[in-house]
């Protein structure tokens, strides 16, 4: 069994300030972890993924995430928010093996103020 | 094509009508997934195919929902006798698994079909 908890339904930041979107997971197997972004009326776009290599993962648009097994966390960060980052962000876990069926968190809405 | 293609992009159905939603995955992608995303929620798993075999349909909410992928490429999600609670965005994703069982590139999602039942 696997599950994902995104701790904040909304995060509000000012442009140019750091972004932190929190994600905790549980999985019966060693997981693969992903962050996806969804802009309004757009499809889901992969930001970054962790499979089994480096625990600090760099993604597109300056985002990165760190896999911390001891804390079962995979928080998403960005040093400086841009207005175009405003969107819905989903943390996703899938088992490494078997069906690979991914499970989504409920999402975090990132609001960026000018 | 380069991505996952879903059609139609929008569908309005009268309650009780049957609908069929199409997903054209990336060529060569073995795995195909269907998700339902209600307004303001995260995507919820519906069903999973590996090639033409439907290996998991545990997320289908009722027997009104049926999915198929007869030749291991294009998939169709059919909803019979639609009801208002079926209104949602239906997402399709495909993925490719390498020899080491690792996912390659992650999951690629289509833009979805927004179904509105009136």
């Amino acid at each position: 069994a696997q599950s994902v908890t995104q701790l904040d339904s909304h995060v509000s930041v000012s442009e140019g300030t750091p972004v932190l979107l929190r994600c905790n997971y549980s999985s019966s197997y060693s997981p693969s972890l992903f962050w996806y972004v969804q802009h309004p009326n757009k499809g889901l776009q992969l930001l970054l993924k962790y499979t089994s290599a480096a625990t600090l993962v760099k993604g597109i648009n300056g985002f990165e995430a760190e896999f911390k097994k001891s804390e079962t966390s995979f928080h998403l960060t960005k040093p400086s928010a841009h207005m175009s980052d405003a969107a819905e962000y989903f943390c996703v876990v899938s088992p490494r093996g078997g069906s690979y069926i991914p499970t989504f968190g409920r999402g975090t809405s990132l609001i960026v103020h000018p | 094509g380069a991505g996952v293609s879903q059609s139609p992009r929008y569908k309005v159905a009268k309650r009780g009508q049957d609908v069929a939603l199409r997903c054209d995955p990336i060529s060569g992608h073995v795995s195909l997934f269907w998700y339902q995303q209600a307004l303001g929620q995260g995507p919820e798993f519906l069903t999973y195919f590996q090639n033409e075999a439907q290996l998991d349909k545990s997320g289908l909410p009722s027997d009104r929902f049926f999915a198929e992928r007869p030749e291991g490429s294009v998939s169709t999600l059919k909803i019979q006798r639609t009801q208002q609670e079926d209104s949602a965005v239906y997402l399709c994703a495909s993925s490719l698994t390498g020899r080491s069982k690792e996912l390659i590139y992650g999951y690629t999602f289509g833009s979805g079909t927004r179904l509105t039942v009136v």
Side-chain angles (χ1 to χ4, degrees), chain A residues 33-62:
Chain A
L33 292 156
F34 309 81
W35 277 98
Y36 280 83
V37 61
Q38 187 176 43
H39 288 90
N41 298 315
K42 300 279 187 179
L44 287 158
Q45 181 185 16
L46 178 66
L47 273 180
L48 49 79
K49 68 181 175 81
Y50 165 80
T51 52
S52 61
T55 56
L56 182 62
V57 182
K58 293 188 184 299
I60 61 172
N61 301 334

Side-chain angles (χ1 to χ4, degrees), chain B residues 81-99:
Chain B
R81 306 180 303 282
T82 52
Q83 301 177 6
Q84 283 191 320
E85 60 261 31
D86 299 335
S87 296
V89 175
Y90 290 85
L91 295 166
C92 176
S94 68
S95 67
L96 183 64
T97 307
R99 291 181 182 176

